[in-house]
Amino acid sequence: MVRFRLEKYAISTDIEKAFLNVRLHKDDRDVTRFLWLSNPDNADSPLTTYRFKSVLFGATCSPFILSATLLKHLDMNATSWVSKILKRDLYVDNILSSFRTEEEVLRYFRDTRDLMLQGGFNLRSWASNNRRLQATATEEGVLDNNKVTKVLGMLWYTETDEISYPDRDIPIFDNVTKRAILQYTSRVYDPLGLLSPILIRAKILLQELWKEKLSWDTILPDNIQQKWRQLARDINTVQNTRFSRHIFCSSVADDKCLTTEDTVLHVFVDSSIQAYGAVAYLCRNHESKLIFAKSRVAPLKKLSLPKLELMAAVIGARIANHLQQAMEVQEIIFWSDSQIVLHWLNTTKTMKRFIQK
């Protein structure tokens, strides 16, 4: 998702019947046997034994087999310029990529389809904010005609090039239980962590319920009911938020690579007694954009605030490492307002095991 937002032009596609395109070896087919009626219209008809000849959807090992097969195919065609991009941008049977120029997008469309067809995989449901690619995909009958495209659990509006969250409306009602709170808050999917300021409140509330040792279906006290109703309203409100897919869409230098020297990643870390987390901003020239965040509730075993600040710094370092691999950022600046943590990170003395690097 981070790489998907980097460049001006983005594309989304998926592999048609991905699992069924991978054939099983004859020696492995017996483990996929199943029983079926010889006459489906007659419930009393004798059962017939069948077995799958290809990888079945739903088996625990199927995603691994598919991934291994795709990676093997790409390794066998490593000389193709799109092979490396596909290995980087492939997630199960979905592909998300972004490019700086229109020429790259059109070339990627053609070369990627040709490469994957060599392995028996057809790329369909192409979506893009580029008009020329939309026209080309329409001519070949592989365009996703939906105005809203699903991209790894998020919604992408290709016409406006905006991303939003799926509508997971949380009903507001009385007599809520712990089971209901967990059920409704788990519906919200936020891979980039942009809703962390709201969702962390739900995690803190659930932790309070565990501390009170309330059962799953016990009607919660009035004060907690009131907290939940306000939280549910806030979650419903933020889910309607739309934000630009392209990080620096307002920049006059759209064709400028994000790895130039004037692009800096700033990572801020902070903590309270209840929670800790980190947030990353990408800055270029006079623009700064929020691109990633992560938050966690403080553990039940009480820790001092400096230790929680140190845990926030760990989260920040992991986020920076993840983003650096995704974007190849040249300069990263970390920010923390805890002088104790800054001292721990720079001291040469032997510290306690919890604090040791």
Side-chain angles (χ1 to χ4, degrees):
M1 284 297 294
V2 174
R3 287 192 294 267
F4 180 64
R5 299 185 62 202
L6 286 181
E7 307 295 353
K8 181 178 180 179
Y9 299 111
I11 62 155
S12 169
T13 183
D14 66 78
I15 304 172
E16 182 180 11
K17 300 178 182 178
F19 293 103
L20 299 180
N21 287 326
V22 181
R23 183 167 296 182
L24 285 174
H25 193 277
K26 291 183 178 180
D27 297 338
D28 298 326
R29 293 175 184 175
D30 284 336
V31 300
T32 66
R33 289 187 177 189
F34 63 98
L35 301 176
W36 198 253
L37 292 172
S38 56
N39 182 7
D41 296 328
N42 182 8
D44 297 325
S45 62
L47 296 175
T48 303
T49 303
Y50 292 93
R51 62 178 187 173
F52 282 92
K53 297 174 64 175
S54 58
V55 174
L56 63 153
F57 181 82
T60 304
C61 59
S62 294
F64 166 77
I65 296 175
L66 174 63
S67 177
T69 303
L70 291 172
L71 292 177
K72 179 67 175 179
H73 174 62
L74 296 175
D75 285 338
M76 292 172 62
N77 296 273
T79 55
S80 174
W81 74 280
V82 297
S83 178
K84 182 179 179 180
I85 298 176
L86 286 172
K87 290 176 68 174
R88 182 195 66 186
D89 296 342
L90 183 67
Y91 183 81
V92 188
D93 61 344
N94 295 285
I95 301 172
L96 299 178
S97 301
S98 63
F99 299 91
R100 277 179 289 168
T101 65
E102 191 173 60
E103 289 71 21
E104 286 180 304
V105 171
L106 297 174
R107 184 183 171 204
Y108 179 81
F109 172 80
R110 177 61 55 207
D111 293 352
T112 301
R113 292 205 70 206
D114 292 344
L115 175 61
M116 296 302 288
L117 282 174
Q118 292 176 19
F121 298 102
N122 179 40
L123 295 181
R124 60 172 185 180
S125 300
W126 285 81
S128 177
N129 60 329
N130 181 268
R131 300 284 185 179
R132 288 183 60 188
L133 187 139
Q134 291 177 6
T136 304
T138 301
E139 292 175 359
E140 301 196 13
V142 292
L143 179 70
D144 184 358
N145 293 316
N146 295 322
K147 294 182 179 180
V148 181
T149 302
K150 294 182 179 179
V151 286
L152 302 185
M154 303 287 285
L155 301 180
W156 179 30
Y157 298 83
T158 54
E159 292 297 321
T160 59
D161 201 17
E162 293 178 321
I163 296 177
S164 71
Y165 297 89
D167 187 10
R168 299 285 190 268
D169 187 54
I170 298 178
I172 301 174
F173 55 90
D174 297 328
N175 301 326
V176 72
T177 63
K178 183 170 74 172
R179 187 188 303 276
I181 292 179
L182 179 61
Q183 175 187 354
Y184 291 122
T185 55
S186 300
R187 292 181 178 182
V188 184
Y189 181 63
D190 183 28
L192 298 175
L194 305 184
L195 303 183
S196 292
I198 301 297
L199 297 183
I200 191 61
R201 289 165 49 195
K203 297 178 183 178
I204 293 173
L205 180 59
L206 283 169
Q207 188 181 66
E208 291 178 1
L209 299 181
W210 281 105
K211 288 180 180 179
E212 296 294 333
K213 298 182 179 179
L214 297 170
S215 63
W216 284 107
D217 298 308
T218 299
I219 302 301
L220 300 177
D222 290 340
N223 62 323
I224 296 180
Q225 297 262 3
Q226 186 176 357
K227 284 183 180 180
W228 165 246
R229 286 192 290 269
Q230 181 59 53
L231 178 59
R233 282 191 288 267
D234 291 343
I235 293 176
N236 287 335
T237 300
V238 297
Q239 285 188 97
N240 297 323
T241 303
R242 288 192 188 187
F243 56 93
S244 174
R245 193 253 347 142
H246 188 205
I247 295 176
F248 290 117
C249 60
S250 62
S251 176
V252 295
D254 280 333
D255 60 342
K256 198 171 185 179
C257 181
L258 289 179
T259 58
T260 52
E261 294 181 358
D262 58 351
T263 301
V264 182
L265 181 67
H266 292 264
V267 180
F268 296 83
V269 301
D270 201 2
S271 175
S272 68
I273 296 299
Q274 293 181 310
Y276 60 94
V279 60
Y281 287 84
L282 197 63
C283 300
R284 185 175 69 183
N285 298 332
H286 300 293
E287 289 185 275
S288 64
K289 294 295 180 70
L290 169 66
I291 60 170
F292 200 88
K294 184 73 174 178
S295 61
R296 290 180 179 175
V297 293
L300 289 175
K301 181 181 178 181
K302 288 194 176 293
L303 296 175
S304 65
L305 189 57
K307 287 186 177 180
L308 290 172
E309 294 271 10
L310 183 61
M311 293 175 70
V314 172
I315 297 297
R318 291 173 179 172
I319 288 177
N321 182 60
H322 172 70
L323 295 178
Q324 188 174 30
Q325 293 177 2
M327 300 184 296
E328 301 179 357
V329 178
Q330 296 182 355
E331 184 178 2
I332 303 175
I333 300 176
F334 295 91
W335 299 84
S336 174
D337 60 358
S338 173
Q339 294 185 5
I340 297 176
V341 170
L342 296 175
H343 171 73
W344 284 343
L345 294 176
N346 290 284
T347 186
T348 57
K349 296 181 180 179
T350 303
M351 307 299 292
K352 294 181 180 180
R353 190 169 190 83
F354 186 92
I355 304 172
Q356 285 181 3
K357 297 180 181 179

